[in-house]
């Protein structure tokens, strides 16, 4: 498969009065056409920042300070604003966490869809309207002919998220960045939205970068997964390998920390402490203060992702040949 | 029936109801000819919790689980029904006011550790508040020492007493909340989504801490959560709520092995689990109806694959089954397929 998106050594910085914060540090990943890449991590790990950098929606003063982002071999991280606007929506769609804030409350959902369609596709107004109805039908909204004339507040949370998905798919982009698309929804609605997203992307061959903190959603949806910690990729690989045979001690701890139905354990695996703040990232491996298998090299030298099993893991222990860390 | 003291339930809730009036103002009602509108947030819930047990309530947003929690600790007064704490009804506010000793034995932990701690108070004062209020200790030195003990008990340093809440992370704040709840020496803790604002690795720390404290101090928990995996991990008994009613409750093992109510089955089926990679599942259509205008009969019937005419007209009563109870006509009539067969289909 061809590489649709390539991110090389991406670095995102936030200059502040007290010094520069590095939110994303040396992140490299790629997404193939039609593939679902999950990006997981705890809050502050830099997963949303990576997504925002790719679609060029970093909030100032945040800025890309290094590395490159290539879409189908073409650099998009240094494009002028207008050129990036043409790509956003047309080639890269976006779905955000809160469906209420990503729709304009003052416009009917049909008008918002038509606007997006006319911006990106050479269609007449009548054709665009017909397409808007078709899109709403595709995302499973009942009686779409009437619903196009409704305002966002007339939709429930799950239905709104369907409208947002319709908007993201309006111009048939090749890649969708979905940032916590189901976090604000109840489990039964979450299941509906995930299977909808899976079905549509499969039908249209759209690649998805699925950013979430929910490992269950990743397990069910993603082909490959990247685990982020303190702005860096700790581990990346095929989803089965990362979940069943995690290599990085952080991933091992994370998997044990997730309570699971049918798993009878008295205590969950506990990773003591919490993720370092961006202004206090320790020297060496950022995970070293919490790592159960830390040794002297981890305290001084930062590991880069290195081959481990079928994926990559940024851990000196892995390079030492330990199959996976004892926790 | 003779029961030993250990088997005696610490809390018995019967027919608990709480309605909220969400009508438009009087003038609007008169001018626009609108009726009063009443939300039946909790509509006839009964359960009991034994000493030392963890009873969990699960359900989706708007099902009334947090309202039940607030009714039990007395933040709301019930519209009807009784709340018996060690046999004494403390439901009506007047009764509750007459029993401050009972009230003091229950405490609550809230969901959002950013909103539940006063940002202008030092952590030491926050934790000392219940001690001072209940006059458990008089001497300031003793109070400071007790606060230090409580902080160590929840895994913080006694020196943290001098800090303000903003100096802590979310997980540490939730530890402060737990320390504050323990300061009043309660036996019964109501935990309303205590970990849903936290990251998984921090959630694991808090859940482990809560289990340790339960074992050490013999606490009883009412645990409110929407996360079934967390509920499976912490509970002894689980109740499932839907639109203000308890549709099923059972021992944890039994509920997760053979869920009876179609809604419980739907919830269990909807949860993405780590073992389910690549699994295709058919999500149940539809959404939770508005509690303002709940469906007639069994409120789950519009989404239920087994609904018939009777479900549309008649509210199912809660009937005892082995290891629990369930409110469903299909279960009563025995026309529900076994769970395992359904899962394999």
């Amino acid at each position: 498969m061809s590489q649709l998106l390539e991110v090389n050594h991406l670095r995102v910085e936030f200059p502040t009065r007290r010094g520069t914060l590095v939110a994303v540090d040396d992140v490299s990943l790629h997404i193939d056409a039609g593939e679902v890449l999950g990006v997981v991590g705890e809050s502050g790990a830099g997963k949303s920042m990576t997504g925002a950098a790719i679609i060029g929606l970093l909030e100032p003063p945040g800025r890309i300070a290094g590395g490159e982002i290539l879409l189908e071999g073409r650099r998009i991280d240094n494009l002028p604003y207008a050129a990036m606007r043409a790509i956003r929506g047309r080639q890269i769609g976006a779905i955000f966490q809160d469906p209420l804030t990503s729709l304009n409350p003052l416009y009917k959902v049909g008008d918002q869809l038509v606007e997006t369609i006319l911006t990106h596709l050479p269609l007449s107004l009548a054709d665009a309207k017909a397409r808007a109805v078709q899109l709403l039908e595709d995302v499973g909204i009942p009686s779409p002919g009437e619903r196009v004339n409704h305002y966002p507040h007339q939709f429930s949370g799950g239905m709104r998220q369907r409208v947002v998905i319709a908007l993201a798919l309006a111009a048939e982009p090749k890649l969708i960045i979905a940032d916590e698309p189901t976090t604000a929804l109840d489990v039964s609605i979450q299941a509906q939205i995930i299977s909808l997203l899976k079905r549509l992307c499969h039908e249209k061959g759209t690649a998805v970068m699925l950013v979430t903190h929910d490992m269950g959603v990743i397990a069910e949806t993603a082909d490959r997964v990247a685990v982020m910690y303190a702005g860096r990729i700790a581990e990346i690989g095929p989803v089965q390998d990362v979940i069943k045979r995690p290599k990085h001690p952080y991933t091992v701890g994370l998997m044990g920390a997730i309570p699971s139905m049918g798993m009878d354990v008295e205590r969950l695996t506990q990773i003591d402490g919490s993720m370092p703040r961006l202004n206090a990232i320790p020297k060496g491996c950022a995970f070293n203060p919490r790592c159960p298998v830390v040794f002297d090299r981890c305290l001084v030298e930062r590991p880069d992702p290195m081959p481990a099993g079928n994926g990559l893991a940024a851990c000196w222990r892995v390079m030492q040949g330990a199959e996976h860390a004892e926790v | 029936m003779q029961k030993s003291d250990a088997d005696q339930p610490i809390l018995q809730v019967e027919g608990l109801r709480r309605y909220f009036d969400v009508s438009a103002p009087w003038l609007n009602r008169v001018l626009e000819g609108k009726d009063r509108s009443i939300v039946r947030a909790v509509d006839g819930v009964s359960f009991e919790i034994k000493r030392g047990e963890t009873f969990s309530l699960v359900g989706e947003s708007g099902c009334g689980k947090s309202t039940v929690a607030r009714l039990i600790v007395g933040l709301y007064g019930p519209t009807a029904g009784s709340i018996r704490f060690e046999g004494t009804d403390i439901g009506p506010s007047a009764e509750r006011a007459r029993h401050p000793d009972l009230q003091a034995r229950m405490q609550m932990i809230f969901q959002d550790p950013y909103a539940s701690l006063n940002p202008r108070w030092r952590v030491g004062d926050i934790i000392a508040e219940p001690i001072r209020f209940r006059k458990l200790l008089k001497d300031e030195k003793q109070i400071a020492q007790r606060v230090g003990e409580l902080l160590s008990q929840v895994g913080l340093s006694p020196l943290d007493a001098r800090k303000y809440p903003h100096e802590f992370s979310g997980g540490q704040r939730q530890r402060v909340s737990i320390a504050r709840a323990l300061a009043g020496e309660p036996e019964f803790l109501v935990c309303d989504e205590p970990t849903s604002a936290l990251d998984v690795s921090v959630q694991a720390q808090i859940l482990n801490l809560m289990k340790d404290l339960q074992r050490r101090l013999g606490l009883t928990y009412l645990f409110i959560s929407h996360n079934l995996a967390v509920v499976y991990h912490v509970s002894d008994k689980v109740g499932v709520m839907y639109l203000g009613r308890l549709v099923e409750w059972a021992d944890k093992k039994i509920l997760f092995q053979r869920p009876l109510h179609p809604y419980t089955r739907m919830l269990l089926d909807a949860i993405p689990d780590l073992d389910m990679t690549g699994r295709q599942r058919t999500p149940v259509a539809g959404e939770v109806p508005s509690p303002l205008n709940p469906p007639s009969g069994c409120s789950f019937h519009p989404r239920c694959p087994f609904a018939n005419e009777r479900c549309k007209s008649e509210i199912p009563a809660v009937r005892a089954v082995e290891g629990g109870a369930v409110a469903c006509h299909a279960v009563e009539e025995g026309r529900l397929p076994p769970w395992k067969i359904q899962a394999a289909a």
Side-chain angles (χ1 to χ4, degrees):
Chain A
M1 266 199 274
S2 61
Q3 284 194 359
L4 176 69
L5 180 85
E6 209 182 321
V7 175
N8 293 321
H9 307 291
L10 179 69
R11 183 182 173 90
V12 173
E13 287 182 352
F14 281 75
T16 68
R17 258 179 295 173
R18 291 188 198 154
T20 303
L21 301 179
V22 183
V24 177
D25 188 6
D26 199 14
V27 163
S28 299
L29 51 85
H30 68 89
I31 302 177
D32 292 333
E35 184 188 44
V36 180
L37 175 76
V39 179
V40 274
E42 300 181 81
S43 17
K47 53 193 194 307
S48 293
M49 283 299 156
T50 309
I54 291 170
I55 32 175
L57 286 179
L58 279 176
E59 296 253 354
R63 61 187 187 91
I64 296 176
E68 53 178 16
I69 301 168
L70 302 160
L71 185 70
E72 296 185 306
R74 179 171 155 235
R75 264 190 91 160
I76 56 165
D77 57 297
N78 53 4
L79 289 179
Y81 183 77
M84 194 58 212
R85 243 195 111 172
I87 287 180
R88 211 183 294 138
R90 179 74 188 86
Q91 308 208 40
I92 307 180
I95 301 169
F96 297 103
Q97 173 172 355
D98 183 356
L100 194 54
T101 47
S102 34
L103 293 170
N104 189 330
L106 298 177
Y107 290 92
K108 294 170 181 166
V109 298
D111 294 347
Q112 300 189 43
L113 281 163
V114 166
E115 185 191 351
T116 310
I117 295 165
L118 290 179
T119 309
H120 294 298
L121 300 177
L123 291 178
S124 70
L125 183 61
D127 287 346
K129 278 185 175 157
R131 188 169 161 75
V133 175
Q134 181 60 43
L135 280 165
L136 287 185
E137 195 177 339
D138 285 350
V139 295
I141 289 182
S143 49
E146 279 166 46
R147 292 297 251 169
V148 287
N149 293 319
H150 286 177
Y151 289 92
H153 76 267
Q154 292 167 297
F155 290 78
S156 67
M159 285 295 160
R160 262 182 228 139
Q161 197 62 300
R162 287 173 193 263
V163 173
V164 173
I165 292 176
L167 265 175
L169 291 170
E172 305 216 327
K174 300 188 186 87
L175 174 68
I176 286 183
I177 312 273
D179 189 355
E180 307 266 8
T182 60
T183 306
L185 307 172
D186 276 321
V187 277
S188 66
I189 310 300
Q190 171 178 311
Q192 293 171 9
I193 296 294
I194 287 292
S195 66
L196 172 74
L197 198 61
K198 262 166 89 175
R199 177 173 63 79
L200 289 177
C201 293
H202 187 73
E203 278 170 18
K204 298 180 196 286
T206 315
V208 181
M209 178 169 152
L210 179 66
V211 176
T212 176
H213 68 276
D214 189 335
M215 209 65 201
V217 170
I218 295 276
E220 193 162 316
T221 319
D223 301 310
R224 285 189 306 129
V225 57
V227 181
M228 289 190 72
Y229 186 81
R232 302 187 128 221
I233 289 184
E235 181 163 1
I236 183 167
V239 70
Q240 277 291 351
D241 289 296
V242 173
I243 287 174
K244 297 275 193 266
R245 289 173 294 280
K247 296 288 187 291
H248 195 286
Y250 174 64
T251 325
V252 174
L254 196 64
M255 291 304 152
I258 302 171
S260 171
M261 286 187 298
M263 182 182 73
D264 288 300
V265 285
E266 187 48 37
R267 289 174 64 85
L268 298 164
T269 310
Q270 189 163 328
I271 319 173
D272 287 321
S274 54
M275 193 154 56
R277 296 192 184 180
L278 290 180
N279 57 8
I281 292 181
K283 206 169 166 299
C285 173
F287 187 58
N288 76 51
R290 304 173 74 188
C291 184
V293 291
V294 61
F295 67 113
D296 41 359
R297 189 172 185 183
C298 309
L299 302 177
V300 286
E301 209 178 331
R302 258 199 181 185
D304 283 318
M306 46 196 112
N310 295 324
L312 302 170
C315 179
W316 295 122
R317 279 283 175 199
V318 169
M319 205 191 73
Q320 272 197 333
E323 193 19 46
H324 65 116
E326 301 281 328
V327 174
Chain B
M1 197 163 60
Q2 283 287 321
K3 279 183 182 171
S4 69
D5 192 48
D7 268 359
Q8 202 68 36
I10 189 166
L11 183 89
Q12 285 166 291
V13 170
E14 218 173 300
L16 191 64
R17 284 166 207 276
R18 170 70 207 201
Y19 298 166
F20 292 100
D21 190 340
V22 291
S23 314
W26 173 81
L27 190 61
N28 292 62
R29 287 207 305 274
V30 171
L31 293 177
E32 295 159 16
K34 282 184 186 161
D35 282 335
R36 280 194 168 274
S37 43
I38 306 284
V39 172
R40 299 172 170 213
V42 176
D43 199 8
V45 166
S46 307
F47 59 88
E48 56 178 53
I49 306 177
K50 290 205 182 85
R51 193 176 290 280
E53 233 182 24
T54 303
F55 185 92
S56 294
L57 284 177
V58 280
E60 297 179 274
S61 23
C63 72
K65 53 192 194 303
S66 290
T67 309
V68 170
R70 284 161 177 262
L71 283 165
I72 287 169
V73 292
L75 289 172
Y76 294 142
T79 307
S82 68
I83 301 166
R84 289 181 182 280
F85 191 72
E86 298 201 319
T88 313
D89 189 0
I90 52 166
S93 325
E95 284 300 315
R96 196 176 280 270
R98 213 172 298 155
H99 295 283
D101 51 319
L102 292 180
Q103 175 71 57
R105 284 157 64 191
M106 51 171 81
Q107 283 290 338
M108 185 156 177
I109 300 169
F110 295 91
Q111 171 173 5
D112 185 355
Y114 292 84
S116 57
L117 301 175
N118 188 334
R120 300 182 58 169
W121 282 26
R122 290 183 196 273
V123 160
D125 291 324
I126 291 174
I127 296 174
E129 172 78 349
I131 302 173
R132 296 198 172 116
F133 179 77
R134 289 192 57 206
K135 303 190 174 63
L136 291 174
L137 297 168
K138 296 251 165 57
D139 182 43
E140 278 306 312
K141 260 195 188 143
Q142 284 180 327
I143 293 180
Q145 198 194 343
R146 173 79 180 127
V147 167
E149 275 170 34
L150 286 161
L151 280 168
S152 332
Q153 206 165 37
V154 297
L156 296 171
S157 155
L159 298 174
D160 288 334
R162 296 195 48 77
K163 294 186 184 165
Y164 286 98
H166 74 262
E167 297 174 66
F168 294 93
S169 68
Q172 289 170 324
R173 285 180 204 217
Q174 205 58 303
R175 287 174 192 267
V176 173
S177 289
I178 294 174
R180 174 180 60 183
L182 294 177
E185 296 173 7
E187 290 154 46
F188 180 65
L189 279 183
V190 175
C191 316
D192 187 5
E193 306 252 17
T195 62
S196 60
L198 306 175
D199 278 317
V200 278
S201 74
V202 182
Q203 168 174 285
Q205 295 169 10
I206 297 295
L207 293 179
N208 284 343
L209 172 68
M210 288 179 60
K211 277 198 150 187
D212 291 345
L213 290 171
Q214 181 169 39
R215 209 172 312 124
R216 200 144 19 114
L217 306 174
L219 298 169
T220 308
Y221 289 134
L222 171 64
F223 193 91
I224 311 281
S225 179
H226 66 277
N227 187 331
L228 278 165
V230 168
V231 162
Y232 182 85
H233 180 69
V234 300
S235 320
D236 297 306
K237 288 207 178 73
V238 180
V240 180
M241 285 190 71
Y242 188 74
L243 277 179
R245 296 207 179 98
L246 196 62
V247 295
E248 180 170 8
W249 70 263
D251 285 345
K252 168 185 81 176
K253 283 266 158 88
I254 296 178
L255 187 92
F256 282 82
Q257 264 164 25
R258 61 117 197 82
L260 288 176
H261 199 282
Y263 178 63
T264 314
R265 293 181 172 191
M266 189 210 83
L267 274 185
L268 287 180
D269 208 28
I271 297 184
D273 210 41
L274 296 184
D275 293 330
M276 296 179 182
T277 314
R279 182 180 68 137
Q280 289 295 325
R281 55 192 162 113
T282 35
V284 170
E287 300 179 9
V288 182
S290 158
L292 256 182
N293 188 16
S296 62
C298 170
S299 46
F300 188 59
H301 85 253
R303 302 172 77 187
C304 181
F306 311 107
N308 64 10
E309 282 310 312
R310 186 177 171 207
C311 301
K312 284 178 195 161
S313 56
E314 191 184 329
I315 297 174
V318 181
R319 290 161 44 90
V321 293
E322 193 207 330
V326 62
C328 177
H329 292 314
V331 173
E332 186 192 334
E333 293 163 18
R335 58 185 161 84
L336 205 65
W339 165 244
K340 286 293 167 198
I341 290 172
Q342 195 206 28

